[in-house]
Amino acid sequence: MMDYDYMKPASMKEVFTLLKEYGPKATLIAGGTDVMVNIRNRELSPEVLISLRGLHELRYIRKNDGYHIGALTTHRMLEQSDMVKGELSALHDAASQLGSVQVRNVATVGGNICNAAPSADTAGPLLALDATVVLEGPDGRRSVPIADFFTGPSKTVRKGDEVLVEFHIPEAPGRFGSAYWKHARRRAMDLPLLGLAVGLALSESREIFDARIGLTVAAPVPMRAHKAEEFLKGKPLEAEVLEEAGEIASSEASPRDSLRSKAWYRREMIAVFVPRMVRLAAERIRDK
Amino acid sequence: MKKVSISFTLNGDEVTAEVPPSWTLLKTLREYFELTGAKEGCGAGECGACTVIIDGEAVNSCIYPIPEVEGKSVTTIEGIAGKDGTLHPLQKAFIENNGVQCGFCTSGMIMSAKSLLDRNPAPTRDEIRKSIAGNLCRCTGYVQIVESIEKAAEMIKGAK
């Protein structure tokens, strides 16, 4: 078994001091549902774990100039928030299907994003909700659109001396709804073989005013299907329109063959589920 | 090997463990306190055999760092029967309804079910299934387990 030291700072200032002191010998840990497994699998061998779980001020879901979600917010908190369910539905869909109750009780949304798995459940919804990632370093904060946050599998723009502290989701334009589809073989304890999130805004005449499509396991990093989004804008919610948007999104993606699925199957499922998630997002707008 | 001193409430008692900071809660329960009810199945948070309740929430103790337990309240399968040995309704219901076959998943199943019933004493079948979605059983096919939890909920309701 790996031996390492464990630090639990009570303030961001202490976190930065420890990160400076230990540098690459240290690994940040939040809920630990990835980090602890990576250590066990010998994919990580830190000399010290710096726990962020003492930073209680980073656990929150607030509405005020859009939505603010603290990085240490657990998936269980997102799952149980009525505001998230009603107003950020895609994020509720993702949070409530991640892992198990035991995992959701500890796993954090900041950890899910920093771990940067191509299959990260919350990445698609955060893309579809146009979230911004707020990073804090010793010299202050900076914001990065989530679409620019991922640079490769397990790789992000977060620097070694920075901590992801918050997600900011702008207030959606007018009549807005969102939905996430986790395409997996099992209904529990599985990773998606494809993740697909849609954020949709409709005009009074029920034309598509704005559309955002977030895809995961569709490319080396979570991605937006910009061409399909542009195609949808200004168009009516009609079957042929949605089907064509699905085909466009499918052609934008660059999925690969992997243990869980094949590239051709992922492409076909993108074409199938873009229309379904646009329709579900539209139904949720109607139900409001 | 460096050790740390971690104080917490374990099944109602104030305890202190002197263990390396890299130990998990599961390892501490099994090897320091010799409470072997929680099992190691996968060791990676997938199977739920190690499930315990911390401050009311079911967690996988196999991936829970022991330093995070400081000041918290941990309940294991050993802590749910009465002091006089009276079994918890979940334990009785699992015995009476064949919720136990090989037994390896049982303590985790019961702890997940307890965290559900403690906040939702009358769960639907769907809520029960979701609450144990993170607990693998390779014997029963889950039917008797779900029935056991339903019976336990009825027993708790009847006792009130």
Side-chain angles (χ1 to χ4, degrees):
Chain A
M1 184 171 167
M2 264 299 297
D3 192 36
Y4 49 81
D5 207 348
Y6 200 98
M7 310 276 180
K8 194 173 176 185
S11 70
M12 288 299 289
K13 206 175 155 208
E14 278 180 69
V15 174
F16 297 131
T17 306
L18 289 169
L19 279 174
K20 195 170 177 192
E21 186 180 343
Y22 291 100
K25 294 176 190 165
T27 296
L28 292 172
I29 179 171
T33 53
D34 288 313
V35 169
M36 294 298 282
V37 176
N38 292 342
I39 290 173
R40 183 187 162 89
N41 294 342
R42 297 171 200 277
E43 287 158 23
L44 265 182
S45 45
E47 281 180 30
V48 55
L49 285 183
I50 301 174
S51 168
L52 301 175
R53 271 144 98 167
L55 305 172
H56 303 290
E57 68 274 20
L58 294 185
R59 275 182 216 276
Y60 55 84
I61 306 168
R62 284 187 208 127
K63 187 176 180 183
N64 162 24
D65 178 27
Y67 304 84
H68 299 263
I69 299 174
L72 285 179
T73 303
T74 64
H75 291 78
R76 192 69 166 160
M77 289 167 70
L78 293 173
E79 178 185 5
Q80 294 179 334
S81 159
D82 289 335
M83 184 173 76
V84 172
K85 188 173 183 182
E87 300 173 33
L88 308 171
S89 312
L91 195 54
H92 170 86
D93 293 340
S96 58
Q97 293 180 69
L98 178 138
S100 60
V101 174
Q102 294 96 312
V103 170
R104 296 197 289 277
N105 275 336
V106 290
T108 67
V109 60
N112 192 234
I113 293 305
C114 284
N115 192 50
S119 59
D121 271 305
T122 59
L126 288 169
L127 280 163
L129 295 167
D130 211 15
T132 299
V133 174
V134 181
L135 296 163
E136 186 169 331
D139 301 324
R141 291 188 167 197
R142 66 178 176 127
S143 295
V144 182
I146 185 131
D148 300 332
F149 185 71
F150 305 102
T151 54
S154 307
K155 291 198 173 70
T156 73
V157 300
R158 184 179 68 85
K159 294 182 193 134
D161 63 351
E162 288 181 315
V163 176
L164 196 168
V165 290
E166 183 182 278
F167 297 93
H168 177 236
I169 295 171
E171 182 109 48
R175 294 149 50 78
F176 182 86
S178 65
Y180 170 70
W181 176 254
K182 175 175 184 163
H183 200 49
R185 294 188 183 201
R186 307 177 71 236
R187 272 185 287 175
M189 290 309 303
D190 204 353
L191 298 176
L193 56 90
L194 176 73
L196 197 151
V198 167
L200 186 74
L202 296 180
S203 66
E204 286 303 322
S205 55
R206 290 191 63 75
E207 275 169 1
I208 297 169
F209 174 71
D210 193 13
R212 307 177 202 133
I213 302 171
L215 302 176
T216 46
V217 218
V221 295
M223 62 170 278
R224 287 269 294 266
H226 288 293
K227 286 180 191 158
E229 295 174 4
E230 282 307 316
F231 171 79
L232 283 169
K233 282 178 196 168
K235 298 218 170 51
L237 271 175
E238 285 169 4
E240 307 88 77
V241 169
L242 303 191
E243 276 162 31
E244 189 166 348
E247 294 296 339
I248 296 170
S250 179
S251 67
E252 284 181 81
S254 49
R256 60 177 195 129
D257 290 340
S258 74
L259 203 61
R260 266 192 292 281
S261 187
K262 298 286 181 200
W264 70 263
Y265 180 73
R266 291 185 162 117
R267 276 192 195 284
E268 294 211 358
M269 290 304 105
I270 292 170
V272 168
F273 284 102
V274 163
R276 285 195 200 172
M277 287 304 104
V278 172
R279 281 195 202 98
L280 179 55
E283 278 171 32
R284 286 173 171 172
I285 295 173
R286 196 186 53 206
D287 292 344
K288 271 181 192 169
Chain B
M1 201 181 279
K2 180 187 164 176
K3 287 188 178 177
V4 288
S5 178
I6 308 293
S7 297
F8 59 104
T9 306
L10 177 57
N11 295 328
D13 298 326
E14 299 303 318
V15 297
T16 299
E18 305 272 343
V19 294
S22 56
W23 278 30
T24 63
L25 171 58
L26 179 65
K27 192 171 169 76
T28 307
L29 289 172
R30 294 182 58 88
E31 298 183 20
Y32 187 88
F33 292 105
E34 300 185 351
L35 294 175
T36 54
K39 308 290 186 226
E40 181 173 74
C42 65
E46 303 267 357
C47 78
C50 65
T51 303
V52 302
I53 295 176
I54 299 184
D55 291 346
E57 313 271 19
V59 302
N60 292 311
S61 63
C62 73
I63 51 172
Y64 205 96
I66 189 64
E68 298 292 349
V69 182
E70 175 72 38
K72 295 197 163 79
S73 177
V74 178
T75 307
T76 71
I77 189 73
E78 289 89 350
I80 69 168
K83 294 273 180 212
D84 61 354
T86 310
L87 295 181
H88 187 277
L90 276 162
Q91 293 172 305
K92 276 186 206 158
F94 269 67
I95 293 168
E96 289 167 9
N97 297 282
N98 295 318
V100 181
Q101 285 188 26
C102 88
F104 199 87
C105 75
T106 309
S107 61
M109 283 286 180
I110 289 179
M111 297 315 286
S112 283
K114 184 172 188 298
S115 78
L116 171 71
L117 296 185
D118 284 350
R119 78 184 56 197
N120 179 2
T124 63
R125 185 161 275 216
D126 186 55
E127 286 169 333
I128 292 173
R129 294 177 69 93
K130 281 194 177 132
S131 78
I132 58 166
N135 294 81
L136 284 185
C137 171
R138 301 290 78 170
C139 306
T140 63
Y142 303 99
V143 174
Q144 301 99 309
I145 289 174
V146 172
E147 287 171 356
S148 299
I149 297 169
E150 286 176 331
K151 292 279 164 37
E154 286 168 23
M155 285 160 73
I156 293 169
K157 190 179 164 201
K160 276 182 184 158

